[in-house]
Amino acid sequence: MSSACTARAARRGVKLTPEGEAFLAKARVAVESELEAEREAQALASTAHDVVKVGFVGPPPTITAPELFSAFATAYPNAEIAFRDLPFPRGATRSWLEPVDVAFCHQPELDSSILAQVVRTEPRVVIARRRHPLSQSSEVDVESVLDQTFIGYHPNVQAAWSSFHSLDDHRGGPPESMTTDWAETSMQMLGVMSSCEAITTLPACDGKLVEDAISDLVAIPLSGASPALLSLICPADDCPPLVGALVRIAAELSSDPAADRAIAARSG
């Protein structure tokens, strides 16, 4: 049949009434929704034996968020989680995430391509050597430590990350006094601290573990500072099924109102 005949045959087709068009649109949505649910179920089944690569900064997530990973292991007993210690975020967050499927840490720089699911909020603590004058305090106020010497971070480290540790969000800019040695990883940060009198801040759960592990360092409660948002971080548009499952479990377990749903946060 020629293309002209095909065109004429198409013009002789049945034309739906407005009511029929509306019904067809709704039916398509319903069918697509059911197909999507079936595709997701099949994807989860096919990846039940896959490895989920979870990056972290600081202590392993099984120590700082055991309830999350225990619940995931119960729900997906055949799935395996491989943890990977990451350097501090540098460059674009999406590029930093490339070696893993998802990261667990306090929030790096966020944009529309990144999904951040808050697991819980943590107050911040000051980390200092035991011989530092602040170490004798049972608690310090954020305003009283802004003029201290802080750990320096490598220029490649995201500004949002280094400023969190240095309290730039409360000072309005970087500290006047910083160490000349730069840190790009958690271990480097602790190494710099062991050789000078500088301080830094951490989420309280991380600080407690540092204090327990290194006798020369102390974690001092910090009042007046905005809390750390410990979160699952992954690409918003390329989330493997099991990572999506982990994010949903985190949202269900979270008692933080800000963590009731995963958010794709835009910078600014």
mmCIF file of all heavy atoms in Angstrom, residues 117-118 121 229 254-261 263:
data_model
loop_
_atom_site.group_PDB
_atom_site.id
_atom_site.type_symbol
_atom_site.label_atom_id
_atom_site.label_comp_id
_atom_site.label_asym_id
_atom_site.label_seq_id
_atom_site.Cartn_x
_atom_site.Cartn_y
_atom_site.Cartn_z
ATOM 1 N N GLN A 117 18.605 12.573 51.353
ATOM 2 C CA GLN A 117 17.632 12.094 52.328
ATOM 3 C C GLN A 117 18.248 12.194 53.720
ATOM 4 O O GLN A 117 19.208 11.502 54.054
ATOM 5 C CB GLN A 117 17.237 10.641 52.057
ATOM 6 C CG GLN A 117 16.427 9.986 53.168
ATOM 7 C CD GLN A 117 15.106 10.699 53.415
ATOM 8 O OE1 GLN A 117 14.299 10.856 52.492
ATOM 9 N NE2 GLN A 117 14.885 11.142 54.641
ATOM 10 N N VAL A 118 17.710 13.108 54.520
ATOM 11 C CA VAL A 118 18.213 13.268 55.874
ATOM 12 C C VAL A 118 17.886 12.013 56.687
ATOM 13 O O VAL A 118 16.756 11.537 56.696
ATOM 14 C CB VAL A 118 17.609 14.511 56.548
ATOM 15 C CG1 VAL A 118 18.090 14.636 57.995
ATOM 16 C CG2 VAL A 118 17.961 15.775 55.768
ATOM 17 N N THR A 121 19.410 14.550 62.440
ATOM 18 C CA THR A 121 20.233 15.720 62.730
ATOM 19 C C THR A 121 21.108 15.420 63.942
ATOM 20 O O THR A 121 20.735 14.653 64.821
ATOM 21 C CB THR A 121 19.365 16.956 63.030
ATOM 22 O OG1 THR A 121 18.541 16.683 64.170
ATOM 23 C CG2 THR A 121 18.493 17.302 61.832
ATOM 24 N N LEU A 229 23.340 17.715 59.270
ATOM 25 C CA LEU A 229 22.280 16.879 58.688
ATOM 26 C C LEU A 229 22.942 15.631 58.119
ATOM 27 O O LEU A 229 23.472 15.643 57.006
ATOM 28 C CB LEU A 229 21.536 17.640 57.601
ATOM 29 C CG LEU A 229 20.862 18.957 58.025
ATOM 30 C CD1 LEU A 229 20.178 19.606 56.824
ATOM 31 C CD2 LEU A 229 19.863 18.725 59.146
ATOM 32 N N SER A 254 13.335 7.686 60.085
ATOM 33 C CA SER A 254 13.705 8.994 60.606
ATOM 34 C C SER A 254 12.596 9.588 61.463
ATOM 35 O O SER A 254 11.421 9.530 61.138
ATOM 36 C CB SER A 254 14.030 9.948 59.461
ATOM 37 O OG SER A 254 14.318 11.224 59.993
ATOM 38 N N SER A 255 13.007 10.175 62.574
ATOM 39 C CA SER A 255 12.056 10.881 63.435
ATOM 40 C C SER A 255 12.139 12.379 63.235
ATOM 41 O O SER A 255 11.477 13.150 63.923
ATOM 42 C CB SER A 255 12.332 10.544 64.910
ATOM 43 O OG SER A 255 13.649 10.931 65.265
ATOM 44 N N ASP A 256 12.972 12.804 62.289
ATOM 45 C CA ASP A 256 13.184 14.220 62.019
ATOM 46 C C ASP A 256 12.143 14.686 61.010
ATOM 47 O O ASP A 256 12.048 14.137 59.921
ATOM 48 C CB ASP A 256 14.589 14.429 61.452
ATOM 49 C CG ASP A 256 14.948 15.907 61.354
ATOM 50 O OD1 ASP A 256 14.041 16.719 61.130
ATOM 51 O OD2 ASP A 256 16.128 16.229 61.504
ATOM 52 N N PRO A 257 11.325 15.725 61.335
ATOM 53 C CA PRO A 257 10.330 16.207 60.384
ATOM 54 C C PRO A 257 10.934 16.598 59.042
ATOM 55 O O PRO A 257 10.289 16.477 58.003
ATOM 56 C CB PRO A 257 9.720 17.427 61.088
ATOM 57 C CG PRO A 257 9.976 17.190 62.538
ATOM 58 C CD PRO A 257 11.299 16.468 62.598
ATOM 59 N N ALA A 258 12.179 17.075 59.055
ATOM 60 C CA ALA A 258 12.817 17.487 57.797
ATOM 61 C C ALA A 258 13.201 16.300 56.950
ATOM 62 O O ALA A 258 13.567 16.432 55.799
ATOM 63 C CB ALA A 258 14.069 18.309 58.094
ATOM 64 N N ALA A 259 13.103 15.090 57.515
ATOM 65 C CA ALA A 259 13.554 13.901 56.797
ATOM 66 C C ALA A 259 12.399 13.001 56.385
ATOM 67 O O ALA A 259 12.594 11.838 56.088
ATOM 68 C CB ALA A 259 14.521 13.127 57.686
ATOM 69 N N ASP A 260 11.184 13.514 56.367
ATOM 70 C CA ASP A 260 10.045 12.679 56.014
ATOM 71 C C ASP A 260 10.046 12.259 54.555
ATOM 72 O O ASP A 260 9.338 11.357 54.171
ATOM 73 C CB ASP A 260 8.734 13.414 56.337
ATOM 74 C CG ASP A 260 8.458 13.462 57.824
ATOM 75 O OD1 ASP A 260 9.093 12.671 58.547
ATOM 76 O OD2 ASP A 260 7.643 14.288 58.256
ATOM 77 N N ARG A 261 10.797 12.966 53.767
ATOM 78 C CA ARG A 261 10.837 12.598 52.349
ATOM 79 C C ARG A 261 12.208 12.933 51.794
ATOM 80 O O ARG A 261 12.940 13.756 52.346
ATOM 81 C CB ARG A 261 9.772 13.356 51.564
ATOM 82 C CG ARG A 261 10.030 14.877 51.525
ATOM 83 C CD ARG A 261 8.882 15.594 50.842
ATOM 84 N NE ARG A 261 9.166 16.994 50.699
ATOM 85 C CZ ARG A 261 8.981 17.891 51.664
ATOM 86 N NH1 ARG A 261 8.544 17.512 52.845
ATOM 87 N NH2 ARG A 261 9.242 19.172 51.464
ATOM 88 N N ILE A 263 14.574 14.753 49.252
ATOM 89 C CA ILE A 263 14.442 16.047 48.569
ATOM 90 C C ILE A 263 15.558 16.213 47.560
ATOM 91 O O ILE A 263 16.686 15.819 47.806
ATOM 92 C CB ILE A 263 14.455 17.216 49.572
ATOM 93 C CG1 ILE A 263 15.743 17.195 50.413
ATOM 94 C CG2 ILE A 263 13.247 17.210 50.455
ATOM 95 C CD1 ILE A 263 15.964 18.447 51.228
#
